[in-house]
């Protein structure tokens, strides 16, 4: 009877978390409580994807070697999303299908926390490019991410890439953030896709 009650409690918390937008502060607690079910869900989805012949491309190649690992996304918010498994803080998270930059791991644990470009705490160096030239800039996160550059030029329509000294050359095609939508009062405004896939690639995994 106790096991049944415990199971129903876990199940209730899990479905509450899946159904409602739990606050950022409470999400880690919810994920720790529902960890066994998240693990089971990840395994079940992996089996279903294989049966449907929809295996995610989990390998990113650096020369002839593969790097990175595929992680299951357990939930998302405006500023952060969470992945099942331990990843090194500072690791970059990429979309394996659309080949785009999704965020940076900021907290390691059984459920690792990834900061998105929509977080007010996100401040990162980027490269802004068009067909002929490129400039360096800084993106400040927020509901609408903002771009600042030193050069006095209009970069509307240019593409914005995360500028990583370690990974920039090898994974340039995966580091796309979004496009410059237009100029605001002091900054350029970015158009960034908000959707998160159910599997992501993490570069810089410890465990």
């Amino acid at each position: 009877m106790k096991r049944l009650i415990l199971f129903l409690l876990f199940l209730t918390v899990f479905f509450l978390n899946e159904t409602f937008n739990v606050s950022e502060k409470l999400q880690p607690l919810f994920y720790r409580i529902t960890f066994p079910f998240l693990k089971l869900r990840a395994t079940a989805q992996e089996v279903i994807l294989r049966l449907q012949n929809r295996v995610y491309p989990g390998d990113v190649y650096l020369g002839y070697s593969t790097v990175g690992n595929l992680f299951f996304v357990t939930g998302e918010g405006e500023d952060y999303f969470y992945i099942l498994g331990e990843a090194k803080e500072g690791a970059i998270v990429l979309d394996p299908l659309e080949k785009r930059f999704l965020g940076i791991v900021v907290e390691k644990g059984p459920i690792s926390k990834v900061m998105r470009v929509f977080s007010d705490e996100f401040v990162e160096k980027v490269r802004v490019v068009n067909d002929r030239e490129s400039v360096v800039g800084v993106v400040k996160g927020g509901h609408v991410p903002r771009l600042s550059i030193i050069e006095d030029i209009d970069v509307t329509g240019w593409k914005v890439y995360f500028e990583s000294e370690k990974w920039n050359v090898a994974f340039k095609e995966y580091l796309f953030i979004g496009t410059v939508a237009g100029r605001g009062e002091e900054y350029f405004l970015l158009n960034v896709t908000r959707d998160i896939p159910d599997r992501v690639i993490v570069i810089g995994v410890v465990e």
Side-chain angles (χ1 to χ4, degrees):
M1 187 66 180
K2 289 182 179 179
R3 290 183 179 179
L4 178 61
I5 293 173
L6 186 61
F7 175 77
L8 291 174
L9 177 62
F10 278 139
L11 205 59
T12 300
V13 174
F14 175 73
F15 281 110
L16 280 173
N17 177 58
E18 290 295 307
T19 305
F20 301 100
N21 184 21
V22 182
S23 72
E24 297 287 354
K25 291 183 178 179
L26 292 179
Q27 276 180 333
L29 174 63
F30 272 75
Y31 290 147
R32 284 186 178 88
I33 294 175
T34 60
F35 181 81
F37 297 98
L38 293 171
K39 195 80 172 175
L40 178 62
R41 176 184 170 191
T43 303
Q45 284 202 359
E46 191 67 41
V47 171
I48 292 171
L49 286 171
R50 289 186 179 277
L51 289 175
Q52 295 176 342
N53 198 24
R54 292 173 53 212
V55 180
Y56 269 69
D59 292 333
V60 175
Y61 286 88
L62 181 57
Y64 293 103
S65 302
T66 59
V67 295
N69 287 71
L70 205 58
F71 281 71
F72 172 66
V73 176
T74 65
E76 62 181 276
E78 174 72 14
D79 298 344
Y80 300 92
F81 67 91
Y82 298 85
I83 55 178
L84 184 63
E86 297 195 5
K88 179 181 179 181
E89 292 184 14
I92 59 176
V93 183
L94 312 172
D95 184 334
L97 295 178
E98 299 296 328
K99 293 186 177 180
R100 58 192 172 100
F101 170 84
L102 296 174
I104 300 171
V105 177
V106 293
E107 188 176 306
K108 173 185 174 181
I111 305 293
S112 295
K113 185 177 182 179
V114 182
M115 179 173 62
R116 306 182 67 182
V117 70
F118 304 107
S119 169
D120 291 334
E121 299 175 16
F122 186 96
V123 181
E124 294 291 339
K125 181 182 177 183
V126 296
R127 183 161 295 276
V128 191
V129 305
N130 66 7
D131 295 334
R132 300 177 304 278
E133 56 186 322
S134 69
V135 296
V136 173
V138 174
V139 165
K140 174 72 172 68
H143 183 70
V144 178
R146 298 164 295 171
L147 166 71
S148 59
I149 59 174
I150 298 175
E151 288 81 355
D152 185 19
I153 57 175
D154 185 1
V155 294
T156 300
W158 292 30
K159 294 181 178 180
V160 179
Y161 291 86
F162 179 70
E163 179 84 344
S164 169
E165 294 180 1
K166 184 175 182 181
W167 304 113
N168 196 57
V169 175
F171 304 115
K172 181 182 178 182
E173 61 179 333
Y174 283 91
L175 298 178
F176 174 72
I177 295 177
T179 56
V180 181
R183 189 190 294 268
E185 293 181 1
E186 300 180 17
Y187 303 91
F188 289 96
L189 306 178
L190 298 189
N191 181 20
V192 182
T193 301
R194 294 180 179 274
D195 293 342
I196 300 292
D198 59 8
R199 294 289 194 281
V200 295
I201 292 175
V202 179
I203 306 295
V205 175
V206 174
E207 299 177 31

